[in-house]
Amino acid sequence: MSAVRHWPGVVTASLTATATVMPGFAVGALAPSIEADLRISTTTVGLAMSAFYGATALGSPLAKRVAARLPIPVTLTAASVLSSATMLLAAQVTSAVALFAILLAGGLGNGLVQPAASRFIAERSPSRRRSLAAGMVGAATLVPGLLVAFVVQPYGWRAALMIAALLALVPAALAPLARGGPSARAARPLAALWGA
C-alpha cells in the first residue's frame, strides 16, 4: 500500500489521540470559570486534572493489553466515545467529587488509545514523516484555547465542554479509515517500531 493511502488512517489515529487527551486540557483551560461556578479552589481543579493524567498512567499497562486484542477501529471508536462522554458529563457537574470521578474515567480512556494510536502511527506512516504524524496530537492544546476565546465569554464553560464533546466524536466517525492496522498478533514493542 502506498504511503499516501496510509495517511487517512494515520490522521484518524492522531485525531483520536488528540480527542482522548482533550478532557484534561479543556478542564485546565476552563479552570477559572469552573472554579467560580462550582465555588472550588484552583488546587481542587488542579488535583482533578492530576486525577485524569494519573489514571492514564496507572491504567496504561492494563489498557495496553486490552487495546492489543481489539481491532484498531474498535479501539479508536471506543476511546473517542469515552472522551466525548467524559466532557459531556463534566459539563453537567455540580461538585468537585463528580468532577474527580468523571476525569478518572476519562483518564482510563486516554490510556486505552495512546499505545494503540502510537503503534498504528509508527507502523503506517513513512519513517521520514513520523514526527509530523505524532506531532498532530499537539492539536489537543489548540481546541480548548479556541473554546476559551470564542465560547466561554458568551455561552459559559459548560457550553464549551459540550462543544468539545461533540468534536471528540469526529474521530469515531473516521475510525473505519484505520482498518488493517496492527493487531494483537502483529504487536511489537513500540521502541522497535520507532527504530530505538
Side-chain angles (χ1 to χ4, degrees):
M1 184 181 291
S2 70
V4 172
R5 292 185 64 191
H6 291 317
W7 279 108
V10 169
V11 170
T12 298
S14 296
L15 286 175
T16 306
T18 296
T20 58
V21 79
M22 206 186 311
F25 284 111
V27 168
L30 300 170
S33 299
I34 294 172
E35 292 161 16
D37 189 23
L38 299 184
R39 295 185 176 87
I40 58 179
S41 68
T42 300
T43 300
T44 301
V45 174
L47 289 173
M49 291 170 57
S50 296
F52 175 85
Y53 294 109
T56 296
L58 295 176
S60 286
L62 175 61
K64 181 179 178 180
R65 289 194 291 272
V66 171
R69 288 170 170 75
L70 297 173
I72 287 289
V74 172
T75 301
L76 299 183
T77 300
S80 295
V81 170
L82 182 54
S83 177
S84 178
T86 297
M87 290 184 282
L88 189 60
L89 291 171
Q92 315 302 319
V93 299
T94 56
S95 70
V97 173
L99 185 63
F100 266 89
I102 290 163
L103 289 178
L104 276 170
L108 293 174
N110 186 38
L112 174 68
V113 80
Q114 297 303 330
S118 296
R119 194 172 71 243
F120 185 91
I121 291 168
E123 287 196 354
R124 301 301 292 272
S125 58
S127 58
R128 66 184 182 282
R129 294 286 185 260
R130 286 179 185 158
S131 295
L132 171 63
M136 291 179 201
V137 180
T141 59
L142 174 65
V143 174
L146 292 174
L147 293 174
V148 169
F150 298 108
V151 179
V152 173
Q153 188 62 37
Y155 304 109
W157 69 271
R158 295 180 189 274
L161 274 179
M162 285 190 267
I163 291 171
L166 290 174
L167 292 174
L169 290 175
V170 171
L174 300 175
L177 296 175
R179 285 190 303 265
S183 65
R185 293 187 302 275
R188 302 197 298 275
L190 188 56
L193 297 176
W194 288 95

